[in-house]
Structure formats: C-alpha cells, structure tokens
Amino acid sequence: MISIYAPASIGNFCVGFDSLGVALAPIDGTLLGDIVHVEAAEKDQFSCIGPYAGKLPSEAEENLAYQCLVHFREHVALDMPPVSLVLEKRLPIGSGLGSSACSVVATFAALNKFAHTALSQEALIELMADFEGKVSGARHYDNITPCYLGGLQLTADLVPNKAMSLPVDEAWYYVAAYPGFALNTAKARAVMPDSISSHDSVEFAQRLSSYCLLMQSARFDEALALMQDTMAEPYRQGLITGYSDAKAALPELGAELVSISGAGPTLFTICKTLNAAEQCQAWLRQHYINEHGFSHICKLDNQGTRAISLGAKS
Ligand SMILES: Nc1ncnc2c1ncn2[C@@H]1O[C@H](COP(=O)(O)OP(=O)(O)O)[C@@H](O)[C@H]1O
Ligand SMILES: N[C@@H](CCOP(=O)(O)O)C(=O)O
C-alpha cells in the first residue's frame, strides 16, 4: 500500500495574495494534513475516513479526492489497474489551512506514484490547481505548491514552472489557530472587490517584489517588517469573529505579525522565540478558539507531500 501525507498550508502568506504560501509542520510532530492510501483492488473503490470525514458530502461523487481518481483514470493513466483509494480527512473544511488542496495534492501524488506516470512536476501542479479551483471560486496555486513542494513558495502562472522556492529564517515560529468554525473560501473571495486602484496595485507589487528579494537575500527582519496585508484582510476581517481582538492583543505577547491564514478563519502569528509562541498560543486558546478549534506551534514543513509509514505519529 502507498500512503501519502500532504501538509496544511497558509495561502497568501500575508503579502502575496494568491501568489505566496507556506507549508506547516507542528513542532510536536503532529501530522497536520490529509493522508491518502492507495492499493491495488479488484475494482475501483473509494472511502473517506478520519476526524473530518463526516463534514464532507456523503456522496463519493462530491468528494474532491474521488473526482481526482476519476479524472486520473479517464485522462492521465488510462491503463492503471483498479485501486482502492482511502482519503483520511484530517483537516477541517473551510479552515484557511488549505484543506481542499491537501486532499487534491495527496490524491494525485498517491495515484501518480502508484501508476508511475511520466507527468512532469509542472503538469501535475497544473492538474492539482484545476481541481482546487473547482471549489474555491478561482484557480490559485498558493496552497497547492507549498503543500506539494514544502517550504515558502512564490507561485503563479507567471512564475517559471509555476513555483519558486524562497529561503526562510529557520528560527521563526508560526502559531496557527483554527477557531473552530468554517469560512467557505468562495464566500471569502466574494467579499473582495472585483478590481483595485492603480495606487493599490502598485503598492501590492512593490511590497511583494521587495519581500521576495529580501527573503532571497536572507534579510529576513526587513522582509518581516514589510508584512502587511492590504489586499484581503480589510475585506475579510469582518467575517472572522475575534480576529481584530487577536490582532490587537498578540503583539503585546511577542507576536511579530498576526495575519489571516488563506481565506480564514485560521489566523497565524510569526514569533521569534518559542516562549513568545507559547504565550500567543495560550491567549488564542483562551480568547479565539472554541471547543471545535485547535492551535499548533509550527515550523515550516520543508518536505512537502511525501510517503509515510502507517506507524507515523497522528
Ligand atoms: N476532500 C475534500 N476536502 C475538502 N473539501 C472538499 C473535499 N471534497 C469536497 N470538498 C468540498 O469543497 C469545499 C471546500 O471548501 P473551502 O472553503 O474551499 O475549503 P478549504 O478552504 O478548507 O480548502 C467544501 O464545500 C467541501 O464540501
Ligand atoms: N489565495 C486564496 C487562499 C485560500 O486558502 P484556503 O486555505 O482558505 O482555501 C484566498 O485567499 O482566497
């Protein structure tokens, strides 16, 4: 059996709406992401298990992982033997942690490994983005490529091979806090304006290009100082109960940055010490997260999507 793990991701990463994203690795070793198991079977079979399986439509046809299997069989690997595909749904839906991307990436990566196709990495990424686009309201790569490749990725159609990896300050900690309610990505995209002024687009381009060059030059503190979300946060923060309070409170506890993860409602902080990350996490547990939510202190996941053994930590 092939078991493929795909990690949670933070889309936009504050300064790169639809163009920048990171993959997350909780420091306690928790596998924060979806897992897909594939093995040969007598005929194609699909099932969905795991803590969030019950939050997905019960019909297989409505599950992205099943749709990926059907597409793969009909358009990519026509002679692939029948498979049993099990999606272990471990990320909440509509969380801002790239949940749909996780299922799509894990499924295509597992099938690709099983069928030994000759698909290029870029072709696979494009295929993944097609399916992510089906549910999120627009085609964007900022969950897909960090989830697949790991690390911090600048990622868009205009970027060579769809993705370029950027270096990061390995000392930074990221606290990701999912408050326990869903916010549909398509809905969070719909509150954004259809167009922005030339002033705002020039500022966005200056900020993102400077950020990337500073990160590439290992001038991490200067890059951090530029991290401000002028594009999505002004429109989305009102959809996320408690976000404004967290944004006001956490810098006092040592957060260098508080921003929305993807379309929300998960928020993330960047902290320079473990102590500051722990203090932020304690505040978030008390003030931001309900009984269905969770938080993790993370580093970046530099491995991305990968095969795991079944004894891996859950
Ligand atoms: N395997 C899957 N994982 C996540 N979402 C799925 C999956 N299959 C179907 N969906 C549907 O896709 C939509 C994903 O919503 P979205 O807000 O884009 O989630 P996220 O932001 O967590 O990726 C939901 O309507 C959900 O029911
Ligand atoms: N760039 C997208 C990212 C959506 O991420 P998700 O985890 O909320 O699906 C956006 O901001 O809409």
Side-chain angles (χ1 to χ4, degrees), residues 14-303:
C14 187
V15 290
F17 184 76
D18 276 1
S19 309
L20 204 58
V22 295
L24 292 174
I27 60 173
D28 66 4
T30 298
L31 290 178
L32 182 64
D34 289 350
I35 302 174
V36 164
H37 310 276
V38 171
E39 64 184 339
E42 286 188 3
K43 61 182 177 58
D44 277 349
Q45 296 166 20
F46 173 78
S47 61
C48 186
I49 60 171
Y52 295 100
K55 301 285 180 191
L56 286 173
S58 50
E59 295 301 319
E61 289 73 16
E62 291 179 49
N63 195 306
L64 275 169
Y66 178 76
Q67 293 169 14
C68 293
L69 168 60
V70 171
H71 180 92
F72 198 83
R73 162 157 317 293
E74 290 177 357
H75 301 281
V76 181
L78 283 66
D79 55 358
M80 179 175 76
V83 293
S84 157
L85 190 148
V86 179
L87 168 64
E88 211 177 310
K89 189 67 207 168
R90 302 159 58 92
L91 272 189
I93 290 89
S95 54
L97 287 166
S99 173
S100 42
C102 252
S103 289
V104 169
V105 171
T107 303
F108 278 134
L111 291 172
N112 198 47
K113 190 172 169 69
F114 181 84
H116 305 289
T117 76
L119 276 183
S120 68
Q121 179 173 291
E122 186 173 348
L124 205 47
I125 288 171
E126 287 198 59
L127 190 54
M128 291 164 173
D130 288 343
F131 278 80
E132 164 77 328
K134 279 177 193 263
V135 291
S136 68
R139 199 162 182 280
H140 55 90
Y141 298 90
D142 53 326
N143 292 119
I144 292 290
T145 59
C147 173
Y148 186 43
L149 304 172
L152 168 62
Q153 298 288 337
L154 176 67
T155 181
D157 275 317
L158 289 179
V159 175
N161 305 119
K162 308 295 180 233
M164 291 178 81
S165 177
L166 289 163
V168 293
D169 189 333
E170 296 294 341
W172 291 358
Y173 291 91
Y174 308 81
V175 183
Y178 165 60
F181 59 88
L183 174 55
N184 181 266
T185 304
K187 181 178 166 193
R189 294 184 78 86
V191 300
M192 294 183 58
D194 290 336
S195 59
I196 58 171
S197 67
S198 55
H199 171 273
D200 288 355
S201 52
V202 168
E203 183 183 313
F204 175 77
Q206 289 176 351
R207 192 180 297 279
L208 179 56
S209 55
S210 299
Y211 181 83
C212 291
L213 276 173
L214 287 166
M215 293 299 279
Q216 185 65 34
S217 315
R219 291 163 64 180
F220 301 124
D221 283 345
E222 290 165 89
L224 184 55
L226 278 184
M227 289 187 87
Q228 193 188 333
D229 177 1
T230 54
M231 197 82 160
E233 184 184 86
Y235 305 100
R236 289 175 167 174
Q237 59 188 350
L239 301 175
I240 306 172
T241 307
Y243 178 74
S244 304
D245 290 344
K247 182 122 182 157
L250 294 172
E252 300 278 308
L253 301 173
E256 305 287 335
L257 170 80
V258 181
S259 192
I260 300 171
S261 177
T266 293
L267 67 69
F268 74 99
T269 73
I270 295 180
C271 298
K272 287 188 178 174
T273 65
L274 181 56
N275 181 265
E278 285 169 346
Q279 289 202 46
C280 290
Q281 185 181 41
W283 189 96
L284 287 160
R285 281 180 172 157
Q286 203 177 345
H287 300 284
Y288 190 64
I289 297 171
N290 70 25
E291 68 274 22
H292 304 295
F294 56 73
S295 64
H296 289 282
I297 298 176
C298 303
K299 292 281 187 175
L300 296 193
D301 186 321
N302 291 319
Q303 298 178 72

